[in-house]
Amino acid sequence: MTATILILFTATYLGMALGRFPGLSIDRTGIALVAAILLLATGALDTTQLVAAVDFPTIFILLGLMILSAQYAGSGFYDWCALRVARAARSPARLLAVIVLVAGGLSAVLANDVVVFAMTPMLCLGLQARRLDPRPYLIALAGAANAGSAATLIGNPQNILIGQIGHLDFWRFLAVCGGPALAAMAIVYGTVWVVWRGRFGMPQEGGEQVAPVALDRWQLGKAVAATLVLLVLFTRDIPQEHAVLLVAGVMMISRRMASRDMLGMVDWHLLVLFAALFAINHALGLTGIPATLVGDLQAAGWLPDRLAVILPLSLVGSNSIGNVPAVILLLAAWPSPPEGALYGLALLSTLAGNLLLPGSLANIIVAERAAAAGVRLGFVEHARCGVPMALLSMALAAVWLWAGGWMGL
């Protein structure tokens, strides 16, 4: 049975690295789900073990935040915001700054994947209407969304999982990670500006007109109020998943927005991916291999609780199998990391996602949504900005963690 588990585990994470298997249309979520099904079918896991393997509080927080984000989307806010951003500034420098601030700020509270999924198409249309090359702005959108999401426990899926595993406080996390996240947003702006300087093209009038977006201010007000309530609930002594689900439940009660439509905006693929990876990693844990490996690393002094280990590990893991699978895998093998290491893992794995296009789900979403809008964002184009963005922001974050005493060298 150990051999079966190892084969399925290896095939799954190979699929995570490749994105899909050659000759097949199955994607990362499908690969993980099929592997989990095979673990169940071969008896490597029984139904009770599979259900117990899933970290439901993490799934619930993701689900609740997606429903809250659906309230924003249903009000027309994302499309309105993207179009206003594309039309706002009169110079490329100012327009780039607005995109970085809006993407980073929204991603800190509404999850980066959701923000870029919603904003990319309308931003492409608005930029093309002004006869601007959308590519540098899209790179900035993805980079800033990743950087801004590093600031909070609800900014991205891996932070949500890390917060649940370590029982981290929302506001303490913000105090530790907010500064490096803000600095990383500045690095995103500076890098894109330097790399693309002179090739943005000045905004011009007379392009194709984009239809104005209707904004339902009542529904938007409801979403903003719910977000503020959620932040207040995070200061109370109640589980975070309860707070998020409570707010999501209130959002479902509406006279104008059907619950079916709101649930249709939930990224069920991401939730299934999480659940399947939890099951696969749990199966590997039953073999005893991860515990033995962690013991060997601890004896050799190579646990990822020091910057010398966690920096390269985050960089390689995030840009091979992706930062979400990498974090799930590491935490499954290392069940009791110290608090400082969790802050380091959250910051560095998120910022490492900017290095290459497959490094984070947000990057992939931007590229795929842009392609659907007629804009091709290539691997090399992203890497020219992504490599310096990731390395500079990770170096700064490492210095911050070391100087603050959160992690040793």
Side-chain angles (χ1 to χ4, degrees):
M1 196 59 70
T2 297
T4 300
I5 292 173
L6 286 174
I7 291 171
L8 291 174
F9 177 86
T10 303
T12 298
Y13 280 94
L14 179 61
M16 295 298 105
L18 297 175
R20 55 175 45 88
F21 287 130
L24 299 175
S25 296
I26 189 169
D27 59 10
R28 288 180 172 91
T29 300
I31 291 167
L33 180 59
V34 168
I37 291 171
L38 290 175
L39 286 171
L40 193 62
T42 58
L45 288 178
D46 58 34
T47 304
T48 302
Q49 289 173 319
L50 189 147
V51 172
V54 178
D55 189 331
F56 282 101
T58 299
I59 300 293
F60 290 155
I61 291 176
L62 278 168
L63 174 61
L65 289 174
M66 289 174 185
I67 292 173
L68 175 58
S69 185
Q71 178 69 34
Y72 280 95
S75 73
F77 171 72
Y78 289 127
D79 286 345
W80 175 86
C81 189
L83 192 56
R84 287 294 297 268
V85 165
R87 292 174 172 175
R90 303 297 301 175
S91 73
R94 291 182 181 179
L95 177 55
L96 187 65
V98 171
I99 289 175
V100 168
L101 289 172
V102 171
L106 289 177
S107 295
V109 292
L110 295 175
N112 59 346
D113 299 338
V114 173
V115 170
V116 298
F117 181 88
M119 288 187 64
T120 298
M122 190 59 71
L123 186 62
C124 287
L125 291 176
L127 292 169
Q128 288 172 316
R130 296 179 70 178
R131 299 175 184 172
L132 288 168
D133 186 346
R135 292 175 298 172
Y137 300 103
L138 293 173
I139 293 171
L141 174 70
N146 286 326
S149 75
T152 69
L153 280 175
I154 58 174
N156 56 58
Q158 63 268 22
N159 281 13
I160 292 171
L161 175 61
I162 289 168
Q164 287 300 300
I165 294 294
H167 305 287
L168 301 179
D169 177 75
F170 180 88
W171 299 103
R172 185 174 179 82
F173 186 96
L174 177 62
V176 175
C177 300
L182 191 60
M185 289 169 57
I187 290 172
V188 168
Y189 173 84
T191 301
V192 175
W193 175 251
V194 169
V195 172
W196 286 84
R197 190 171 185 178
R199 296 185 292 136
F200 289 95
M202 292 297 292
Q204 301 177 39
E205 303 297 336
E208 293 183 19
Q209 295 298 312
V210 180
V213 175
L215 181 64
D216 189 328
R217 298 185 183 278
W218 168 255
Q219 295 298 328
L220 176 59
K222 183 178 175 181
V224 172
T227 304
L228 294 175
V229 169
L230 180 60
L231 295 177
V232 171
L233 289 176
F234 283 154
T235 68
R236 303 292 186 247
D237 189 22
I238 62 174
Q240 291 178 353
E241 65 273 19
H242 293 183
V244 175
L245 286 177
L246 178 62
V247 169
V250 173
M251 291 299 95
M252 299 284 288
I253 304 172
S254 174
R255 291 186 301 170
R256 300 185 185 182
M257 294 181 62
S259 56
R260 178 183 296 271
D261 295 335
M262 297 186 74
L263 291 174
M265 299 180 198
V266 169
D267 188 352
W268 297 104
H269 294 274
L270 181 60
L271 298 181
V272 171
L273 174 63
F274 258 74
L277 288 177
F278 283 140
I280 294 161
N281 291 335
H282 181 69
L284 183 68
L286 294 178
T287 66
I289 294 174
T292 301
L293 179 60
V294 169
D296 292 342
L297 290 174
Q298 187 171 16
W302 284 100
L303 278 179
D305 55 359
R306 295 181 295 118
L307 289 168
V309 180
I310 203 168
L311 258 173
L313 187 64
S314 297
L315 197 63
V316 173
S318 295
N319 290 280
S320 55
I321 61 176
N323 51 16
V324 171
V327 168
I328 294 176
L329 176 59
L330 178 59
L331 293 179
W334 190 30
S336 302
E339 183 178 351
L342 290 174
Y343 292 131
L345 180 61
L347 261 177
L348 297 173
S349 66
T350 299
L351 298 178
N354 274 335
L355 188 84
L356 301 175
L357 193 58
S360 82
L361 187 56
N363 297 347
I364 297 171
I365 290 171
V366 168
E368 291 180 347
R369 297 282 279 174
V375 179
R376 184 183 180 279
L377 181 59
F379 180 91
V380 174
E381 290 165 337
H382 182 278
R384 290 178 63 219
C385 292
V387 170
M389 278 193 309
L391 296 181
L392 287 172
S393 59
M394 290 180 73
L396 189 146
V399 171
W400 173 275
L401 291 167
W402 171 77
W406 295 106
M407 295 193 71
L409 295 175

